[in-house]
Amino acid sequence: MVKADGYGLGMEDVVRTLESEAPWGFGVATVEEGLRLRRAGVTIPVIVFSPVSPDSYDPAVAQDLTLTVSDLDSVERVAAAATRTGHIGRFHVEIDTGMGRSGFDWRRVAEWGPDLADRASPASVWEGCYTHFHSADLEDDGPTRAQWESFNSALKRLEPEKGSLIHSCNAAAAMRYPTFAADAVRPGIFLYGGCVGKGVAPPEEAARVRARVTLIRDVPESTTLGYGATYCSSGNERWATLGIGYGDGFPRVLGNRGNALLAGQKFPIIGRISMDMTVVDITGAGGVEVGDAATLIGTDGDGVITLDEVADLAGTISYEILTGFTARMPRIWITE
Ligand SMILES: *Cc1c(COP(=O)(O)O)cnc(C)c1O
């Protein structure tokens, strides 16, 4: 899964990096993302995993993107786009087993199943079926097992026409329920360094977030800091200003709660985070200089601030932290 600009890391670079793993195909959320992959020279299958607006079918089919369908009207749209563009219209059928946001209801397969094959035209190909788990990262395996049962019960009623590729597992499910892997898995967050739940091997670090120390100030007692003056020095302190703020996607909620690493050591973020600047208290630390790189996510020497630790502190999930970084943050790829 390389949607949302490769989970914020940069879709084209992610794709180039993953190519050595020889994936079957790539998953995106929108037709625009799929077209971007085609422009980048990707020739393997690209599946668009969200429902898309009616006017997106023609460009998708024309560039050989595989659409996913959640209702019979969408099946007809794929067929019509195939006829109009002269390309093959490829689609996967999503079966909703509890996620609720999209997909055909697995309980009503007797109603939509027989119609589905009829609505497809010779110009369109039903290539696969899938479902999406809502709780594969939780310790309780009950909901995921129940969804798997529902999915298979619907698949059985669709025989023989259910497409050739069956898939269900996101990263958490691929790690925790390898027996549900079927024909393909759809890993996302684990590739980008996000944990997929307790008791599962942690991912390797994939991305670090760093910012330069742009100023160091020695301040006396009673120096206020930042909007709202929510921090005030309690004695002589040394403050380091970092060139990163919420305008870069660094969560503002980490003001007075988050940390930064400098020379492998952890220092607290003090005051509110501004759009362009963040301040850390480096009182007592020797050797920090203007121009040094502070690490806000990732390892630095013996120190580490994990992506999931930052997400927890910010009251959100690793996905939102990663996809939140804005275009102002340069993405620098280090290849070995
Ligand atoms: C985003 C997405 C995934 C990947 O989920 P992760 O939790 O990041 O592994 C898999 N399948 C679908 C349909 C998705 O939308």
Side-chain angles (χ1 to χ4, degrees):
M1 299 301 298
V2 299
K3 60 193 176 180
D5 199 23
Y7 285 49
L9 272 57
M11 188 165 62
E12 287 81 0
D13 286 305
V14 165
V15 160
R16 195 160 33 77
T17 305
L18 290 175
E19 249 158 23
S20 59
E21 302 295 322
W24 173 85
F26 289 114
V28 293
T30 69
V31 169
E32 194 42 57
E33 288 176 332
L35 298 179
R36 238 175 94 184
L37 286 181
R38 290 287 181 245
R39 282 197 294 274
V42 170
T43 53
I44 60 177
V46 172
I47 305 186
V48 179
F49 275 102
S50 298
V52 301
S53 80
D55 56 1
S56 291
Y57 284 74
D58 281 13
V61 170
Q63 288 296 315
D64 203 26
L65 304 181
T66 303
L67 291 153
T68 53
V69 295
S70 297
D71 62 9
L72 295 173
D73 286 345
S74 301
V75 179
E76 276 179 6
R77 285 184 198 116
V78 176
T83 306
R84 269 195 301 269
T85 61
H87 289 252
I88 294 169
R90 305 172 194 280
F91 66 92
H92 286 216
V93 171
E94 177 171 5
I95 299 176
D96 176 27
T97 56
M99 191 63 186
R101 62 188 181 182
S102 53
F104 287 90
D105 189 335
W106 75 276
R107 295 166 299 190
R108 297 192 175 148
V109 61
E111 293 163 38
W112 54 263
D115 281 348
L116 212 152
D118 294 345
R119 304 277 185 111
S121 79
S124 59
V125 188
W126 179 358
E127 292 196 327
C129 278
Y130 73 104
T131 195
H132 193 55
F133 297 128
H134 52 69
S135 301
D137 56 332
L138 300 187
E139 268 174 289
D140 179 4
D141 67 354
T144 305
R145 291 189 185 283
Q147 281 189 271
W148 176 250
E149 292 304 319
S150 306
F151 181 44
N152 280 285
S153 129
L155 287 179
K156 220 169 265 157
R157 312 254 331 231
L158 290 174
E159 302 270 20
E161 278 191 277
K162 58 177 173 57
S164 56
L165 202 82
I166 306 302
H167 45 113
S168 67
C169 292
N170 59 359
M175 300 287 288
R176 303 172 72 116
Y177 306 94
T179 55
F180 300 170
D183 300 320
V185 293
R186 310 188 301 265
I189 195 65
F190 196 78
L191 303 176
Y192 304 99
C195 290
V196 293
K198 284 196 198 123
V200 183
E204 278 180 38
E205 177 181 81
R208 288 182 192 145
V209 175
R210 289 186 152 162
R212 297 277 184 195
V213 175
T214 51
L215 185 71
I216 295 176
R217 296 176 68 217
D218 288 304
V219 301
E221 188 179 347
S222 301
T223 305
T224 59
L225 173 61
Y227 289 107
T230 60
Y231 182 87
C232 184
S233 61
S234 51
N236 290 331
E237 294 183 357
R238 176 167 284 195
W239 294 351
T241 301
L242 310 181
I244 190 169
Y246 64 80
D248 300 284
F250 191 60
R252 183 174 172 276
V253 70
L254 294 175
N256 287 316
R257 6 181 20 173
N259 301 286
L261 298 171
L262 278 156
Q265 213 187 320
K266 224 179 227 190
F267 297 101
I269 292 172
I270 51 176
R272 287 204 184 130
I273 290 171
S274 306
M275 188 186 289
D276 318 304
M277 286 181 256
T278 296
V279 176
V280 289
D281 180 8
I282 58 165
T283 307
V288 178
E289 286 176 26
V290 169
D292 286 357
T295 302
L296 298 150
I297 299 175
T299 55
D300 175 29
D302 294 334
V304 63
I305 298 174
T306 68
L307 171 61
D308 281 275
E309 184 182 332
V310 170
D312 282 350
L313 267 185
T316 183
I317 53 174
S318 54
Y319 305 67
E320 195 181 26
I321 298 291
L322 282 183
T323 57
F325 287 102
T326 63
R328 192 166 72 179
M329 284 287 281
R331 272 68 166 170
I332 299 164
W333 283 76
I334 300 166
T335 46
E336 266 120 59

